[in-house]
Amino acid sequence: MHSVQIQAAIVMMCFIAFSYGQIYGSYGHHGHQDYHEPAHYSFEYKVRDPHTHDIKSQHESRNGDAVKGYYSLVEPDGSVREVHYTADKHNGFNAVVHKSGHGHHYY
């Protein structure tokens, strides 16, 4: 190999090694992870499947020990069940259930 090709190969290997270190070398080392600190999250999802008639949704959030959320779904009889809930270490789990619509029974 010519010296220019060798130098180019060395530069390219250094670039690859540097890039690899930037992408993979620091993974998981973004600071101290305190596993005892209070949990915080929020999520939601929705499903609307016209083929199976599966219609439902949920939203939940947590701030430390306090959780609150709701979910709703269309029951097999066509009525809608909606549940609002809270949970914490002092009051436990509490839910309020609402049912709306008229159910149809199919024989």
Side-chain angles (χ1 to χ4, degrees):
M1 286 179 107
H2 299 281
S3 65
V4 173
Q5 291 173 323
I6 293 172
Q7 289 173 350
I10 290 172
V11 168
M12 183 57 87
M13 289 189 311
C14 290
F15 176 75
I16 291 170
F18 175 76
S19 298
Y20 184 85
Q22 290 295 311
I23 295 170
Y24 299 105
S26 63
Y27 181 74
H29 300 286
H30 296 286
H32 176 72
Q33 179 69 30
D34 185 359
Y35 293 103
H36 300 288
E37 105 181 11
H40 298 278
Y41 66 81
S42 181
F43 75 88
E44 68 180 310
Y45 71 88
K46 294 179 182 180
V47 174
R48 185 172 187 89
D49 186 344
H51 179 71
T52 63
H53 305 289
D54 187 15
I55 301 170
K56 59 188 168 194
S57 65
Q58 181 178 6
H59 178 271
E60 181 176 291
S61 61
R62 179 173 179 175
N63 187 1
D65 289 330
V67 177
K68 65 180 178 177
Y70 68 88
Y71 67 89
S72 68
L73 62 112
V74 176
E75 299 277 10
D77 67 1
S79 62
V80 177
R81 179 179 7 148
E82 189 170 300
V83 179
H84 292 261
Y85 59 89
T86 59
D88 61 45
K89 65 182 178 180
H90 299 291
N91 300 307
F93 179 80
N94 294 285
V96 177
V97 180
H98 298 282
K99 195 161 189 166
S100 61
H102 299 288
H104 305 310
H105 295 284
Y106 300 100
Y107 298 100

